[in-house]
Structures are given as C-alpha cells and as structure tokens.
Amino acid sequence: MKLTPQELYTKLVDEDKIIGEKAEINFSLKNLIISIESRDTVGNLLQEWLKAWMMKEKIEFEENTNSQIFPDFYLDTHNKKIDLLEVKTFDYQNGPGFDLANFDSYCNSLLVNAYRIDSDYLIFAYEMNGSVITIKNVWLKKIWELSGPSGPYPIKVQEKKHIIYNIRPSVWYSERARFKPFSTKEEFLSALNETRYQYPPTRHVNGHWLQNVLKNYEEHTGISLDVK
C-alpha cells in the first residue's frame, strides 16, 4: 500500500489512535529483565516501532541504510525526490531539543537536492514516567513550519563558541512562544540566506547561494520560487 506522508499520518493518528497510547521499555538478558528509565533510547525505539508498524500495515517504504543521512524513510520507492520522511521525537515536558538538520550540510545539500526542502517531519512528543512512555502528541510538519527566527540570527540555530552547528526548531505548538515558525518555504529560504550573510564563515561565499538553490529547485520540481 502506497501512502503519502499525510496519508500515513492520518492512518497513524486518526485511524490507529496513537496519541495517548502507552509503552513500557524493558531489556532482557540471561533471564534478567530490567526496566529502562533513560530517555536516551526512546527516539530509536519509536523509529523502530514505526518501521515495524508500517511493515505490519503493508505500507510501502524504503529505509535509509545510513542512519546518519537524511531522510529516515522514502515513502515513494520509485521516486526518491518526493515523500521523504524524517522522524523526530522529544520529551513533551522539556520541549523540542532535537536538530532539524546540520546547518552546513543542509545548505550544501540544497544546492544539488533542493527538493529536500519539501520533506516531511513526523514528530512524536512523549512523556516518560519510570519506564513507561505515553504518546502526548504527533505532528506532521514541513521544515519551515518547525523552524523560525531567533534573537541572534534570522533563523534559530545551535551555536557554540561562534560556530553554527545545527538548525533548531521553534516551539511551533505554543501560543505563548516569542518567535513563531515561518509561514512559507520562501520565508524559510530567505531567513537561511540572511543567516548565511550574517555568519562570518559563509558571508563571503554566499553571493549566489540562494540563486543556485532556486535554480536547482526549479530543475527538480518545475516550480519557480520567488524569494526576496
């Protein structure tokens, strides 16, 4: 069964009612079973569960053989430019602390694979009590619906000792958040471009970056974007 990311989300959330479900994390070795109360394993376990669920439901997908390379899953196994799915998880009480993408790698990838900007992020928010996790919410979002501005730069990033490492999410689900997520992919690209101009290591090589990304996007999709 071939599903788009939106159809997969609908099946998972509306049909299978995943929100509110509970899971217990245990580890067994030589007849000794222990309860796992560390959050370190939750993300990988939820992604493995999603993979098993898709197999059980006979949903077509292909898993990326390199877990360090985007995306986690291809939902269209014949056209790997569309229906790309990345899975993220976070502790609902602590807020989204995951990375959307490595800053340099993402910017460079858009020069050759600009269609990546249309990828979907499936995000699980969980609450953990002891070894039991509860799924508090699930979202399906584009990167521009997760990313937003911040104080130092036009886009929120993780920066250490004046070096930008990763693009970080805003608190997109909060009405009280100071910085709201972007409304369009054009806003996101504009903020990314302005950040590259402000960031010293990319400032002097950024002259044609946006122009080349837009050209590559049109070559892959046939769609011309207007980014100011």
Side-chain angles (χ1 to χ4, degrees):
M1 173 169 51
K2 184 180 182 303
L3 297 181
T4 65
Q6 183 60 58
E7 290 168 338
L8 182 143
Y9 174 84
T10 298
K11 183 171 181 58
L12 182 66
V13 174
D14 296 337
E15 296 179 21
D16 280 22
K17 311 291 185 185
I18 189 68
I19 296 174
E21 287 293 320
K22 298 180 184 294
E24 187 169 2
I25 305 175
N26 297 313
F27 177 75
S28 175
L29 178 64
K30 284 189 68 67
N31 298 319
L32 178 62
I33 301 175
I34 62 172
S35 297
I36 306 299
E37 299 185 8
S38 169
R39 289 166 173 77
D40 296 343
T41 62
V42 175
N44 288 336
L45 290 174
L46 281 173
Q47 186 168 321
E48 284 298 312
W49 178 89
L50 179 67
K51 175 183 171 181
W53 176 80
M54 289 192 291
M55 293 173 68
K56 171 180 169 290
E57 297 295 329
K58 296 181 170 55
I59 297 169
E60 292 181 24
F61 73 93
E62 184 176 321
E63 186 177 22
N64 199 325
T65 54
N66 188 336
S67 62
Q68 301 302 312
I69 296 178
F70 184 95
D72 292 317
F73 298 106
Y74 299 94
L75 295 187
D76 191 321
T77 57
H78 302 291
N79 183 356
K80 293 184 178 179
K81 295 181 181 181
I82 62 173
D83 295 343
L84 310 182
L85 188 68
E86 184 79 354
V87 180
K88 298 292 183 182
T89 64
F90 71 97
D91 183 333
Y92 192 67
Q93 292 181 326
N94 294 332
F98 56 83
D99 301 323
L100 292 172
N102 175 271
F103 179 77
D104 286 333
S105 295
Y106 188 80
C107 291
N108 291 335
S109 73
L110 291 183
L111 292 170
V112 290
N113 298 319
Y115 56 83
R116 177 180 174 179
I117 196 173
D118 292 322
S119 303
D120 288 279
Y121 287 74
L122 183 66
I123 306 148
F124 293 86
Y126 66 87
E127 188 175 76
M128 193 168 193
N129 291 299
S131 61
V132 176
I133 66 168
T134 303
I135 304 300
K136 299 296 290 183
N137 212 333
V138 182
W139 297 268
L140 185 72
K141 296 287 186 181
K142 301 292 188 183
I143 193 168
W144 65 84
E145 297 174 312
L146 298 169
S147 179
S150 67
Y153 289 104
I155 198 167
K156 186 177 180 181
V157 295
Q158 177 194 42
E159 183 184 30
K160 296 178 181 178
K161 296 182 179 179
H162 307 295
I163 297 175
I164 293 178
Y165 288 95
N166 297 300
I167 302 171
R168 281 290 178 88
S170 62
V171 187
W172 67 90
Y173 51 86
S174 173
E175 295 294 329
R176 296 180 295 174
R178 179 184 173 192
F179 296 107
K180 303 299 183 183
F182 300 116
S183 300
T184 65
K185 74 182 77 174
E186 289 87 350
E187 281 186 18
F188 170 75
L189 283 172
S190 178
L192 201 56
N193 187 49
E194 287 302 315
T195 298
R196 286 174 57 84
Y197 271 123
Q198 290 185 25
Y199 182 47
T202 55
R203 178 182 301 154
H204 300 295
V205 295
N206 198 51
H208 300 289
W209 179 83
L210 180 59
Q211 178 184 342
N212 291 334
V213 168
L214 297 179
K215 179 182 177 183
N216 187 262
Y217 185 83
E218 186 170 6
E219 288 173 353
H220 283 298
T221 67
I223 298 171
S224 176
L225 298 177
D226 183 19
V227 179
K228 304 300 184 185

